[in-house]
Amino acid sequence: MAEGKKLVIVESPTKMRSIQGYLGDGYEVLSSVGHIRDLADKKDIPAADKQAYGKYSIDIENGFDPYYVVSDRKSKTVAELKRALKSADELLLATDEDREGEAIAWHLLETLKPKVPVKRMVFHEITKDAIQAAIGNTRELDLALVDAQETRRILDRLYGWDVSPVLWYKVKSGLSAGRVQSAATRMIVDRERERMAFVSADYWDVEALASSASAFKVRLVRVDGGQLARGTDFDDTGKLKKAVIILDEKKAQALAHAVDAAGTGTVTKVEAKPGTRSPYAPFTTSTLQQEAGRKLSMSAKQAMSVAQRLYEKGFITYMRTDSTALSTQAVQAARSQAVSLYGDSAVPLKPRVYKSKSKNAQEAHEAIRPSGETFRTPASVSTELDREELRVYDLIWKRTVASQMADAKYETTTVTIAVQADGQLAEFTASGTVYTFKGFLEAYEEGRDEKRNSQDAAENQSLPAVAVGDELGMADAEAKGHRTTPKPRYTEASLVKALEEHGIGRPSTFASIIGTVIDRGYATKRGQALVPTWLAFSVVKLLEEHFADLIDYDFTAALEDDLDAIARGEQNRVEWLKEFYFGSEQQVGLRQVVDNLGEIDARALNSTRITDTATLRFGKYGPYLEVADPADPDAKPRIVNVPEDLAPDELTAAKAQELIDAPVAGDRVLGENPNNGKIVVVKDGRFGPYVQENDPVDPDAVDEATGEVAEKPKPKRGAKKDTAPKPRTASLFRSMSVETIDLDTALQLLSLPRVVGADPESGEEITAQNGRFGPYLKKGTDSRSLESESQIFDVTLEQALEIYSQPKYGAGSRRASSALAEFEADPVSGKPIRIRDGRFGAYVTDGETNVTIPRGQQVQDITFEIAVQMLADKRAKGPVKRGAAKKAPAKKAPAKKPAAKKPAAKKSATASTKTDAEKAAARSAAAKKAAATRAANAAAKKS
C-alpha cells in the first residue's frame, strides 16, 4: 500500500469489494472475515494461568476477566492487516454498527495496536453517498456496546459450560444448553404438550345454496334463536365454554332435508359495515424472517443469509434492526414510487411515521428498505441478482413502498335468511367484502400464519343485491361435520414472532437460535412446522426440574433487558455478572444451582407414561416403548420400537396399543447358499435393510461308539475365548425391499465386490461394489463413481476402462459431473466451488475447506455468494484441533479498561508458531530417528 493511504477494515469480503469501489485510490479496504479473537480453549492457556482461567477461559474471581486468543486460522489475516497498517496514516474500523460489529472493531484494535489515528466508521447502507457520508462523520469506539457483547459472550459460556454437562450425563452425550436456545426449545415442547393434552370435540352445521339473481353459499348459524356451536366455543378439554346448541350428524342431516323440502327462505336482515385497513410497518429483522418464511418458504437462517448478501452488494439497508422508522429520504422515495406506479391517490396527505418498540437505542437503526435516494424496482435489478436475492428484494421493496401508501377501504355485507324447516326456524348467513379503494393492497398483502379452528371462518364471496323481505330459493342443503383443532405447531415464522413477543433473544440471534434447536436434534421440520423430538422433552424436563429460573420465559427476557442496559451504559457488567453467577438476595446464582443439584434420576427424566402398562423412554438409539406384563409385573418389560416420524402428540394410548399389538417383524429366511450351506436371511436394521449369512443350527455331536451325546468341553477358567467370525452381510439397493427380495438376488449381493476384469496395461484388478456413498469402481487405490447401483452387476470391462480413461478432476470429469452443483472459483483459495453429497448430507467444498449445508436449507438455495460466505465462515472458525496442544507463550498482565472512551486492552494471548523451515527440520529429525529405531529392532530380531 502506498504511503499515506487510509486503511479501512470491514468484516466481510463481499462488503470489502463493494466499498473499495466507492472510496478510490486514497483508501485500501481489507476484511477481517468476522471475529479474529475469541475465548481461548483450555489447552491454549499457559500453565501459570490455568487455575484462574482454565475452566471457562474466564477469571470469575477477578472481575470475570476473559482470556482471548487469535485463532490459528486468523493468524494469516492478522498478519496481512498488520502489514497494511504499517504503511497507513489512518485506520478506519468500518464493521457493522451493532454489538457484534463494535466488538469485532475493538478486538481488531487490541490485536493490531495501531500507532496511527483510529476512527470508527459506521453506515447503514452500502451506496456511494452513504460511504462518503460515513467517512466524514466518524466517531469513537463505543465501549458500552463492547461491554454488552462481551457480557453476552461470558454469560453464554458460563450458562452453556455449567448446564450442558448435566445433559451429557443424564440425557445424552453431545447435547448443549444455551440461554436462549433452551427457552426456544421449551416453547416448542410446551406447544406439543398442549396438543397432547387437547381433547377434540365434534359439531355439525348445515350449508346450502341461496339464489336470487345468482347463487351464493349460506351457513346455518341459529336454530329457533339458539346459537349453533363453533370451534371457538370449546375449550382444550373438549367441553363447551358457553351455552350453545350442538347438532349431531343425525339432527344435522334431518335439518338439511327439511331445508331442501322448504325450498325457500326470507331475507330478514341485510347489514353493511364500512372498514379500513392500514399498511404494515417496514420490515424489521424479525418481521422479514417471518414473512420470508410465510411467503417464500425460507428458513430464518436462509432469509438472513440472502438479506446479508443484498446489504453487502448495496441493494438494501442494514438487515439487523428492530426499528420500523424510515429516514426522510426513504419516506420520500417510497411516496414518489407509489405515486408513479399507482397514481396521486395512492399516498396520504402526510407521510406515515412508525415508532419502534425497542428500548435499546444502539439497535434502533432504520428499518430494512431498498438503499439509495431513489428505490430501484425489482424489474430493474433482476439481471444483477440471483433468484433468491430477487425474491427477497421484491418482498422488501413492496413492503417499503406499501408502508407509505393510503389505507384500504372496504365494505362488508352480511345477509341473514330465515327458513321454516319442519317446524324449526333455521337462520342462515353469508358475508361478502368489497374493497371500494385498495390503497396499499395494490402493492402488498402480508402473509398469515395458520389459524386455529380456521374451518369456522366465513367464506368471502360476491353477494347479489338483496333487500329485507326478499324471498330466495334454498337448495342443495348438506350436513357438514367439524372437529375442533389444537393450537398449530410453531413454524419458524411464528416461533420468531413468539420469541419477539416474549422479549427473548434479539433480531440478530433468532436465525441462529432456531438453527441450533434443529441441529441439536431438539426439533425436526414437517413441512413448515417445527415438531419437537422426545429428546427435547427429556432436556426440557431436566431444565424445568433443576434449572427452573434459567428456563423461565420472564427471566430469560429480563436478561436481554439487562444486556440492553449494559449497552446503554446504565448497568455495570462486572456487578451484573457477579449477581447472575454468584447470586444475591433477589436471585439464586447459577453456581449455587449447579453445586446443589442433588440426585437426578436419569431414568425418570427420560420416561413419559403413555398407558398403565406402556412407558415411552428415550434411550441411546432414540425413543421406544417399554411395555410391562400386567399378569407378571416382575417380568422383564417388552421393548417396542417407536417410528422415527411419529410426532409426540400422535403417540396416543390407542396408537401405543396399535404398536404393541403389531406382529413382531422377525428375520425372513430366503434359503440356503448352495456354495457353503449357510442360511441366508434378510433383516431390517438401524442403518437400513440388509441380507446376512448365518451358520445352520448344528446338532450336538454323537459318539458313534456309544450313541451318547457328547458334551462340548467347557473352557478353562481364564482361558481366552475364540472370537467368532462375523457373518457376511450386504446392504440392499435402494430399489430393493425386505418384502420382495429373493435368494438369487441376495446371493448376488453377498458375492460383492464383483470382479469386472483386469486393466490390460497395469494388470490391476478392477472391481465393482457398493459403498457408503453409492456404487463405485475400484482399481488399487483409485476409485470412480458409478451412475446407478444396477451398474455394479452390468458394467463391462470396456465400460470400466472408458470410465478410468476420463480425468478424475477438472472440467468435464466424472467427478465434477457427479457434483450436485458447481460454481466459479472461490476468491480465497482460487479453486472451483462444488456442492457434493457426503456421509452427513450435502456439503460445500473448494477442495480445501468443507462445510455441511445446515438442516432446513436446500441445495438449490445455495448460490455462489452463499457458498463463498459459508466457506469464509468455516475458515474463520478454524480447524477442529486434535492431539497435543501447542504451548502458548506467557500471558501478559491485563490492563484495565479506562473510564474514558479511549479503547482499552483486555487479556489476550496468541498461540506461538514455528516457521516452515523449523517444522520441516523437526519432521526430518523425527523421520531419521524412527528409521534408526526400526533398523535397530530388525537387527536385534535377526540376532
PDB file of all heavy atoms in Angstrom, residues 123-127 283 307-308 310-312 314-321 326-327 329-330 366-372 375 396:
ATOM      1  N   PHE A 123     -22.110   2.969   8.844  1.00  0.00           N
ATOM      2  CA  PHE A 123     -23.066   3.274   7.775  1.00  0.00           C
ATOM      3  C   PHE A 123     -24.139   2.202   7.800  1.00  0.00           C
ATOM      4  O   PHE A 123     -23.933   1.096   8.322  1.00  0.00           O
ATOM      5  CB  PHE A 123     -22.368   3.301   6.415  1.00  0.00           C
ATOM      6  CG  PHE A 123     -21.407   2.166   6.217  1.00  0.00           C
ATOM      7  CD1 PHE A 123     -21.839   0.927   5.772  1.00  0.00           C
ATOM      8  CD2 PHE A 123     -20.058   2.335   6.516  1.00  0.00           C
ATOM      9  CE1 PHE A 123     -20.954  -0.117   5.616  1.00  0.00           C
ATOM     10  CE2 PHE A 123     -19.163   1.281   6.360  1.00  0.00           C
ATOM     11  CZ  PHE A 123     -19.616   0.049   5.911  1.00  0.00           C
ATOM     12  N   HIS A 124     -25.300   2.517   7.238  1.00  0.00           N
ATOM     13  CA  HIS A 124     -26.426   1.588   7.265  1.00  0.00           C
ATOM     14  C   HIS A 124     -26.826   1.089   5.886  1.00  0.00           C
ATOM     15  O   HIS A 124     -27.744   0.286   5.757  1.00  0.00           O
ATOM     16  CB  HIS A 124     -27.634   2.256   7.951  1.00  0.00           C
ATOM     17  CG  HIS A 124     -27.345   2.691   9.344  1.00  0.00           C
ATOM     18  ND1 HIS A 124     -27.860   3.837   9.897  1.00  0.00           N
ATOM     19  CD2 HIS A 124     -26.554   2.146  10.295  1.00  0.00           C
ATOM     20  CE1 HIS A 124     -27.419   3.975  11.129  1.00  0.00           C
ATOM     21  NE2 HIS A 124     -26.616   2.964  11.396  1.00  0.00           N
ATOM     22  N   GLU A 125     -26.153   1.611   4.872  1.00  0.00           N
ATOM     23  CA  GLU A 125     -26.356   1.102   3.518  1.00  0.00           C
ATOM     24  C   GLU A 125     -25.055   1.293   2.748  1.00  0.00           C
ATOM     25  O   GLU A 125     -24.275   2.202   3.045  1.00  0.00           O
ATOM     26  CB  GLU A 125     -27.518   1.802   2.814  1.00  0.00           C
ATOM     27  CG  GLU A 125     -27.337   3.308   2.648  1.00  0.00           C
ATOM     28  CD  GLU A 125     -28.542   3.964   1.971  1.00  0.00           C
ATOM     29  OE1 GLU A 125     -29.489   3.255   1.637  1.00  0.00           O
ATOM     30  OE2 GLU A 125     -28.511   5.194   1.789  1.00  0.00           O
ATOM     31  N   ILE A 126     -24.816   0.407   1.801  1.00  0.00           N
ATOM     32  CA  ILE A 126     -23.561   0.471   1.053  1.00  0.00           C
ATOM     33  C   ILE A 126     -23.842   1.092  -0.303  1.00  0.00           C
ATOM     34  O   ILE A 126     -24.029   0.400  -1.317  1.00  0.00           O
ATOM     35  CB  ILE A 126     -22.926  -0.926   0.943  1.00  0.00           C
ATOM     36  CG1 ILE A 126     -22.699  -1.498   2.347  1.00  0.00           C
ATOM     37  CG2 ILE A 126     -21.598  -0.866   0.195  1.00  0.00           C
ATOM     38  CD1 ILE A 126     -22.136  -2.885   2.368  1.00  0.00           C
ATOM     39  N   THR A 127     -23.935   2.399  -0.298  1.00  0.00           N
ATOM     40  CA  THR A 127     -24.050   3.181  -1.521  1.00  0.00           C
ATOM     41  C   THR A 127     -22.939   4.233  -1.491  1.00  0.00           C
ATOM     42  O   THR A 127     -22.339   4.499  -0.444  1.00  0.00           O
ATOM     43  CB  THR A 127     -25.418   3.889  -1.607  1.00  0.00           C
ATOM     44  OG1 THR A 127     -25.567   4.764  -0.461  1.00  0.00           O
ATOM     45  CG2 THR A 127     -26.556   2.873  -1.602  1.00  0.00           C
ATOM     46  N   PHE A 283     -40.085  -3.503   7.204  1.00  0.00           N
ATOM     47  CA  PHE A 283     -39.524  -4.697   7.829  1.00  0.00           C
ATOM     48  C   PHE A 283     -38.490  -4.385   8.909  1.00  0.00           C
ATOM     49  O   PHE A 283     -37.620  -3.528   8.725  1.00  0.00           O
ATOM     50  CB  PHE A 283     -38.838  -5.579   6.783  1.00  0.00           C
ATOM     51  CG  PHE A 283     -39.779  -6.434   5.993  1.00  0.00           C
ATOM     52  CD1 PHE A 283     -39.678  -6.492   4.612  1.00  0.00           C
ATOM     53  CD2 PHE A 283     -40.753  -7.197   6.615  1.00  0.00           C
ATOM     54  CE1 PHE A 283     -40.522  -7.302   3.865  1.00  0.00           C
ATOM     55  CE2 PHE A 283     -41.613  -7.997   5.881  1.00  0.00           C
ATOM     56  CZ  PHE A 283     -41.501  -8.045   4.500  1.00  0.00           C
ATOM     57  N   ALA A 307     -30.486 -11.748   2.815  1.00  0.00           N
ATOM     58  CA  ALA A 307     -30.525 -10.312   3.133  1.00  0.00           C
ATOM     59  C   ALA A 307     -29.121  -9.760   3.339  1.00  0.00           C
ATOM     60  O   ALA A 307     -28.822  -8.625   2.946  1.00  0.00           O
ATOM     61  CB  ALA A 307     -31.383 -10.082   4.382  1.00  0.00           C
ATOM     62  N   GLN A 308     -28.241 -10.564   3.946  1.00  0.00           N
ATOM     63  CA  GLN A 308     -26.850 -10.142   4.152  1.00  0.00           C
ATOM     64  C   GLN A 308     -26.179  -9.853   2.810  1.00  0.00           C
ATOM     65  O   GLN A 308     -25.491  -8.847   2.641  1.00  0.00           O
ATOM     66  CB  GLN A 308     -26.089 -11.241   4.899  1.00  0.00           C
ATOM     67  CG  GLN A 308     -24.612 -10.961   5.075  1.00  0.00           C
ATOM     68  CD  GLN A 308     -24.297 -10.241   6.354  1.00  0.00           C
ATOM     69  OE1 GLN A 308     -24.959 -10.421   7.358  1.00  0.00           O
ATOM     70  NE2 GLN A 308     -23.285  -9.392   6.327  1.00  0.00           N
ATOM     71  N   LEU A 310     -27.675  -9.054  -0.006  1.00  0.00           N
ATOM     72  CA  LEU A 310     -28.273  -7.854  -0.592  1.00  0.00           C
ATOM     73  C   LEU A 310     -27.692  -6.593   0.022  1.00  0.00           C
ATOM     74  O   LEU A 310     -27.436  -5.594  -0.682  1.00  0.00           O
ATOM     75  CB  LEU A 310     -29.796  -7.885  -0.403  1.00  0.00           C
ATOM     76  CG  LEU A 310     -30.582  -8.882  -1.263  1.00  0.00           C
ATOM     77  CD1 LEU A 310     -32.038  -8.948  -0.801  1.00  0.00           C
ATOM     78  CD2 LEU A 310     -30.513  -8.498  -2.734  1.00  0.00           C
ATOM     79  N   TYR A 311     -27.472  -6.621   1.327  1.00  0.00           N
ATOM     80  CA  TYR A 311     -26.888  -5.462   2.009  1.00  0.00           C
ATOM     81  C   TYR A 311     -25.458  -5.222   1.547  1.00  0.00           C
ATOM     82  O   TYR A 311     -25.063  -4.090   1.214  1.00  0.00           O
ATOM     83  CB  TYR A 311     -26.934  -5.686   3.522  1.00  0.00           C
ATOM     84  CG  TYR A 311     -26.074  -4.732   4.316  1.00  0.00           C
ATOM     85  CD1 TYR A 311     -26.348  -3.363   4.331  1.00  0.00           C
ATOM     86  CD2 TYR A 311     -24.966  -5.184   5.033  1.00  0.00           C
ATOM     87  CE1 TYR A 311     -25.550  -2.479   5.054  1.00  0.00           C
ATOM     88  CE2 TYR A 311     -24.168  -4.321   5.759  1.00  0.00           C
ATOM     89  CZ  TYR A 311     -24.461  -2.964   5.761  1.00  0.00           C
ATOM     90  OH  TYR A 311     -23.672  -2.096   6.469  1.00  0.00           O
ATOM     91  N   GLU A 312     -24.668  -6.298   1.510  1.00  0.00           N
ATOM     92  CA  GLU A 312     -23.258  -6.148   1.150  1.00  0.00           C
ATOM     93  C   GLU A 312     -23.069  -5.739  -0.307  1.00  0.00           C
ATOM     94  O   GLU A 312     -22.070  -5.133  -0.668  1.00  0.00           O
ATOM     95  CB  GLU A 312     -22.513  -7.452   1.444  1.00  0.00           C
ATOM     96  CG  GLU A 312     -22.396  -7.731   2.941  1.00  0.00           C
ATOM     97  CD  GLU A 312     -21.731  -9.051   3.250  1.00  0.00           C
ATOM     98  OE1 GLU A 312     -21.540  -9.852   2.317  1.00  0.00           O
ATOM     99  OE2 GLU A 312     -21.402  -9.290   4.427  1.00  0.00           O
ATOM    100  N   GLY A 314     -25.107  -3.675  -1.710  1.00  0.00           N
ATOM    101  CA  GLY A 314     -25.594  -2.307  -1.808  1.00  0.00           C
ATOM    102  C   GLY A 314     -27.036  -2.143  -2.227  1.00  0.00           C
ATOM    103  O   GLY A 314     -27.446  -1.046  -2.624  1.00  0.00           O
ATOM    104  N   PHE A 315     -27.844  -3.199  -2.135  1.00  0.00           N
ATOM    105  CA  PHE A 315     -29.241  -3.118  -2.588  1.00  0.00           C
ATOM    106  C   PHE A 315     -30.221  -2.766  -1.475  1.00  0.00           C
ATOM    107  O   PHE A 315     -31.306  -2.253  -1.748  1.00  0.00           O
ATOM    108  CB  PHE A 315     -29.661  -4.431  -3.250  1.00  0.00           C
ATOM    109  CG  PHE A 315     -29.045  -4.637  -4.600  1.00  0.00           C
ATOM    110  CD1 PHE A 315     -27.869  -5.352  -4.741  1.00  0.00           C
ATOM    111  CD2 PHE A 315     -29.624  -4.090  -5.739  1.00  0.00           C
ATOM    112  CE1 PHE A 315     -27.283  -5.527  -5.980  1.00  0.00           C
ATOM    113  CE2 PHE A 315     -29.050  -4.253  -6.986  1.00  0.00           C
ATOM    114  CZ  PHE A 315     -27.868  -4.972  -7.115  1.00  0.00           C
ATOM    115  N   ILE A 316     -29.903  -3.089  -0.224  1.00  0.00           N
ATOM    116  CA  ILE A 316     -30.800  -2.761   0.889  1.00  0.00           C
ATOM    117  C   ILE A 316     -29.979  -2.162   2.025  1.00  0.00           C
ATOM    118  O   ILE A 316     -28.755  -2.254   2.052  1.00  0.00           O
ATOM    119  CB  ILE A 316     -31.568  -4.003   1.410  1.00  0.00           C
ATOM    120  CG1 ILE A 316     -30.590  -5.035   1.990  1.00  0.00           C
ATOM    121  CG2 ILE A 316     -32.428  -4.609   0.313  1.00  0.00           C
ATOM    122  CD1 ILE A 316     -31.269  -6.188   2.721  1.00  0.00           C
ATOM    123  N   THR A 317     -30.685  -1.576   2.991  1.00  0.00           N
ATOM    124  CA  THR A 317     -30.019  -1.050   4.176  1.00  0.00           C
ATOM    125  C   THR A 317     -29.709  -2.195   5.143  1.00  0.00           C
ATOM    126  O   THR A 317     -30.060  -3.350   4.894  1.00  0.00           O
ATOM    127  CB  THR A 317     -30.911  -0.011   4.872  1.00  0.00           C
ATOM    128  OG1 THR A 317     -32.196  -0.591   5.132  1.00  0.00           O
ATOM    129  CG2 THR A 317     -31.085   1.217   4.018  1.00  0.00           C
ATOM    130  N   TYR A 318     -29.065  -1.855   6.260  1.00  0.00           N
ATOM    131  CA  TYR A 318     -28.593  -2.863   7.219  1.00  0.00           C
ATOM    132  C   TYR A 318     -29.747  -3.744   7.674  1.00  0.00           C
ATOM    133  O   TYR A 318     -30.829  -3.259   8.019  1.00  0.00           O
ATOM    134  CB  TYR A 318     -27.964  -2.161   8.411  1.00  0.00           C
ATOM    135  CG  TYR A 318     -27.241  -3.103   9.335  1.00  0.00           C
ATOM    136  CD1 TYR A 318     -26.275  -3.968   8.852  1.00  0.00           C
ATOM    137  CD2 TYR A 318     -27.517  -3.114  10.702  1.00  0.00           C
ATOM    138  CE1 TYR A 318     -25.598  -4.826   9.700  1.00  0.00           C
ATOM    139  CE2 TYR A 318     -26.843  -3.964  11.553  1.00  0.00           C
ATOM    140  CZ  TYR A 318     -25.888  -4.821  11.048  1.00  0.00           C
ATOM    141  OH  TYR A 318     -25.226  -5.677  11.884  1.00  0.00           O
ATOM    142  N   MET A 319     -29.507  -5.077   7.649  1.00  0.00           N
ATOM    143  CA  MET A 319     -30.612  -6.020   7.817  1.00  0.00           C
ATOM    144  C   MET A 319     -30.768  -6.532   9.247  1.00  0.00           C
ATOM    145  O   MET A 319     -31.613  -7.386   9.498  1.00  0.00           O
ATOM    146  CB  MET A 319     -30.456  -7.197   6.848  1.00  0.00           C
ATOM    147  CG  MET A 319     -29.316  -8.127   7.128  1.00  0.00           C
ATOM    148  SD  MET A 319     -27.724  -7.359   6.821  1.00  0.00           S
ATOM    149  CE  MET A 319     -26.697  -8.323   7.901  1.00  0.00           C
ATOM    150  N   ARG A 320     -29.987  -6.021  10.204  1.00  0.00           N
ATOM    151  CA  ARG A 320     -30.188  -6.408  11.609  1.00  0.00           C
ATOM    152  C   ARG A 320     -30.668  -5.184  12.375  1.00  0.00           C
ATOM    153  O   ARG A 320     -29.869  -4.343  12.777  1.00  0.00           O
ATOM    154  CB  ARG A 320     -28.899  -6.967  12.212  1.00  0.00           C
ATOM    155  CG  ARG A 320     -28.500  -8.308  11.617  1.00  0.00           C
ATOM    156  CD  ARG A 320     -27.349  -8.954  12.375  1.00  0.00           C
ATOM    157  NE  ARG A 320     -26.981 -10.221  11.757  1.00  0.00           N
ATOM    158  CZ  ARG A 320     -26.026 -10.369  10.851  1.00  0.00           C
ATOM    159  NH1 ARG A 320     -25.344  -9.291  10.459  1.00  0.00           N
ATOM    160  NH2 ARG A 320     -25.740 -11.546  10.336  1.00  0.00           N
ATOM    161  N   THR A 321     -31.943  -5.087  12.558  1.00  0.00           N
ATOM    162  CA  THR A 321     -32.540  -3.913  13.201  1.00  0.00           C
ATOM    163  C   THR A 321     -33.896  -4.265  13.767  1.00  0.00           C
ATOM    164  O   THR A 321     -34.585  -5.141  13.246  1.00  0.00           O
ATOM    165  CB  THR A 321     -32.692  -2.759  12.178  1.00  0.00           C
ATOM    166  OG1 THR A 321     -33.365  -1.668  12.795  1.00  0.00           O
ATOM    167  CG2 THR A 321     -33.497  -3.205  10.964  1.00  0.00           C
ATOM    168  N   LEU A 326     -38.265   5.041   9.155  1.00  0.00           N
ATOM    169  CA  LEU A 326     -37.630   5.306   7.869  1.00  0.00           C
ATOM    170  C   LEU A 326     -37.069   6.722   7.880  1.00  0.00           C
ATOM    171  O   LEU A 326     -37.639   7.629   8.483  1.00  0.00           O
ATOM    172  CB  LEU A 326     -38.636   5.178   6.723  1.00  0.00           C
ATOM    173  CG  LEU A 326     -39.154   3.783   6.372  1.00  0.00           C
ATOM    174  CD1 LEU A 326     -40.210   3.877   5.285  1.00  0.00           C
ATOM    175  CD2 LEU A 326     -38.009   2.880   5.916  1.00  0.00           C
ATOM    176  N   SER A 327     -35.947   6.903   7.206  1.00  0.00           N
ATOM    177  CA  SER A 327     -35.377   8.241   7.083  1.00  0.00           C
ATOM    178  C   SER A 327     -36.270   9.102   6.195  1.00  0.00           C
ATOM    179  O   SER A 327     -37.114   8.592   5.441  1.00  0.00           O
ATOM    180  CB  SER A 327     -33.973   8.152   6.474  1.00  0.00           C
ATOM    181  OG  SER A 327     -34.053   7.671   5.141  1.00  0.00           O
ATOM    182  N   GLN A 329     -35.369  10.661   3.640  1.00  0.00           N
ATOM    183  CA  GLN A 329     -35.007  10.301   2.268  1.00  0.00           C
ATOM    184  C   GLN A 329     -35.793   9.079   1.799  1.00  0.00           C
ATOM    185  O   GLN A 329     -36.320   9.041   0.682  1.00  0.00           O
ATOM    186  CB  GLN A 329     -33.499  10.006   2.227  1.00  0.00           C
ATOM    187  CG  GLN A 329     -32.979   9.531   0.886  1.00  0.00           C
ATOM    188  CD  GLN A 329     -31.569   8.978   1.012  1.00  0.00           C
ATOM    189  OE1 GLN A 329     -31.351   7.893   1.548  1.00  0.00           O
ATOM    190  NE2 GLN A 329     -30.594   9.751   0.529  1.00  0.00           N
ATOM    191  N   ALA A 330     -35.893   8.069   2.663  1.00  0.00           N
ATOM    192  CA  ALA A 330     -36.599   6.829   2.305  1.00  0.00           C
ATOM    193  C   ALA A 330     -38.096   7.056   2.176  1.00  0.00           C
ATOM    194  O   ALA A 330     -38.747   6.495   1.281  1.00  0.00           O
ATOM    195  CB  ALA A 330     -36.316   5.755   3.342  1.00  0.00           C
ATOM    196  N   GLU A 366     -32.378   2.378  11.049  1.00  0.00           N
ATOM    197  CA  GLU A 366     -33.507   2.499  10.139  1.00  0.00           C
ATOM    198  C   GLU A 366     -34.064   1.108   9.836  1.00  0.00           C
ATOM    199  O   GLU A 366     -33.375   0.100   9.976  1.00  0.00           O
ATOM    200  CB  GLU A 366     -33.018   3.164   8.849  1.00  0.00           C
ATOM    201  CG  GLU A 366     -34.127   3.696   7.978  1.00  0.00           C
ATOM    202  CD  GLU A 366     -33.577   4.468   6.785  1.00  0.00           C
ATOM    203  OE1 GLU A 366     -32.344   4.642   6.680  1.00  0.00           O
ATOM    204  OE2 GLU A 366     -34.390   4.884   5.951  1.00  0.00           O
ATOM    205  N   ALA A 367     -35.334   1.048   9.451  1.00  0.00           N
ATOM    206  CA  ALA A 367     -35.936  -0.226   9.048  1.00  0.00           C
ATOM    207  C   ALA A 367     -35.238  -0.761   7.802  1.00  0.00           C
ATOM    208  O   ALA A 367     -34.511  -0.041   7.114  1.00  0.00           O
ATOM    209  CB  ALA A 367     -37.424  -0.034   8.784  1.00  0.00           C
ATOM    210  N   ILE A 368     -35.468  -2.036   7.498  1.00  0.00           N
ATOM    211  CA  ILE A 368     -34.885  -2.630   6.294  1.00  0.00           C
ATOM    212  C   ILE A 368     -35.639  -2.101   5.074  1.00  0.00           C
ATOM    213  O   ILE A 368     -36.864  -2.228   5.000  1.00  0.00           O
ATOM    214  CB  ILE A 368     -34.972  -4.163   6.343  1.00  0.00           C
ATOM    215  CG1 ILE A 368     -34.311  -4.699   7.619  1.00  0.00           C
ATOM    216  CG2 ILE A 368     -34.314  -4.780   5.113  1.00  0.00           C
ATOM    217  CD1 ILE A 368     -34.549  -6.171   7.854  1.00  0.00           C
ATOM    218  N   ARG A 369     -34.925  -1.538   4.129  1.00  0.00           N
ATOM    219  CA  ARG A 369     -35.561  -0.943   2.950  1.00  0.00           C
ATOM    220  C   ARG A 369     -34.590  -0.974   1.788  1.00  0.00           C
ATOM    221  O   ARG A 369     -33.386  -1.205   1.963  1.00  0.00           O
ATOM    222  CB  ARG A 369     -35.952   0.509   3.248  1.00  0.00           C
ATOM    223  CG  ARG A 369     -34.744   1.418   3.511  1.00  0.00           C
ATOM    224  CD  ARG A 369     -35.130   2.868   3.473  1.00  0.00           C
ATOM    225  NE  ARG A 369     -34.038   3.788   3.779  1.00  0.00           N
ATOM    226  CZ  ARG A 369     -33.163   4.248   2.886  1.00  0.00           C
ATOM    227  NH1 ARG A 369     -33.225   3.848   1.620  1.00  0.00           N
ATOM    228  NH2 ARG A 369     -32.223   5.104   3.237  1.00  0.00           N
ATOM    229  N   PRO A 370     -35.053  -0.726   0.560  1.00  0.00           N
ATOM    230  CA  PRO A 370     -34.129  -0.575  -0.563  1.00  0.00           C
ATOM    231  C   PRO A 370     -33.202   0.603  -0.307  1.00  0.00           C
ATOM    232  O   PRO A 370     -33.603   1.612   0.285  1.00  0.00           O
ATOM    233  CB  PRO A 370     -35.055  -0.318  -1.756  1.00  0.00           C
ATOM    234  CG  PRO A 370     -36.359  -0.912  -1.357  1.00  0.00           C
ATOM    235  CD  PRO A 370     -36.462  -0.687   0.123  1.00  0.00           C
ATOM    236  N   SER A 371     -31.973   0.501  -0.719  1.00  0.00           N
ATOM    237  CA  SER A 371     -30.999   1.560  -0.452  1.00  0.00           C
ATOM    238  C   SER A 371     -31.134   2.698  -1.468  1.00  0.00           C
ATOM    239  O   SER A 371     -31.753   2.554  -2.518  1.00  0.00           O
ATOM    240  CB  SER A 371     -29.583   0.990  -0.500  1.00  0.00           C
ATOM    241  OG  SER A 371     -29.342   0.404  -1.772  1.00  0.00           O
ATOM    242  N   GLY A 372     -30.533   3.833  -1.114  1.00  0.00           N
ATOM    243  CA  GLY A 372     -30.464   4.964  -2.037  1.00  0.00           C
ATOM    244  C   GLY A 372     -31.583   5.975  -1.901  1.00  0.00           C
ATOM    245  O   GLY A 372     -32.575   5.755  -1.192  1.00  0.00           O
ATOM    246  N   PHE A 375     -35.583   4.371  -5.048  1.00  0.00           N
ATOM    247  CA  PHE A 375     -35.622   2.913  -4.972  1.00  0.00           C
ATOM    248  C   PHE A 375     -35.586   2.302  -6.375  1.00  0.00           C
ATOM    249  O   PHE A 375     -36.334   2.731  -7.267  1.00  0.00           O
ATOM    250  CB  PHE A 375     -36.890   2.435  -4.271  1.00  0.00           C
ATOM    251  CG  PHE A 375     -36.983   2.853  -2.830  1.00  0.00           C
ATOM    252  CD1 PHE A 375     -38.200   2.824  -2.161  1.00  0.00           C
ATOM    253  CD2 PHE A 375     -35.857   3.268  -2.133  1.00  0.00           C
ATOM    254  CE1 PHE A 375     -38.292   3.194  -0.834  1.00  0.00           C
ATOM    255  CE2 PHE A 375     -35.940   3.653  -0.804  1.00  0.00           C
ATOM    256  CZ  PHE A 375     -37.159   3.620  -0.152  1.00  0.00           C
ATOM    257  N   ILE A 396     -38.972  -6.873   0.159  1.00  0.00           N
ATOM    258  CA  ILE A 396     -38.590  -5.657   0.902  1.00  0.00           C
ATOM    259  C   ILE A 396     -39.066  -4.408   0.174  1.00  0.00           C
ATOM    260  O   ILE A 396     -39.584  -3.463   0.792  1.00  0.00           O
ATOM    261  CB  ILE A 396     -37.057  -5.623   1.101  1.00  0.00           C
ATOM    262  CG1 ILE A 396     -36.625  -6.774   2.014  1.00  0.00           C
ATOM    263  CG2 ILE A 396     -36.609  -4.284   1.664  1.00  0.00           C
ATOM    264  CD1 ILE A 396     -35.126  -6.995   2.057  1.00  0.00           C
TER     265      ILE A 396
END
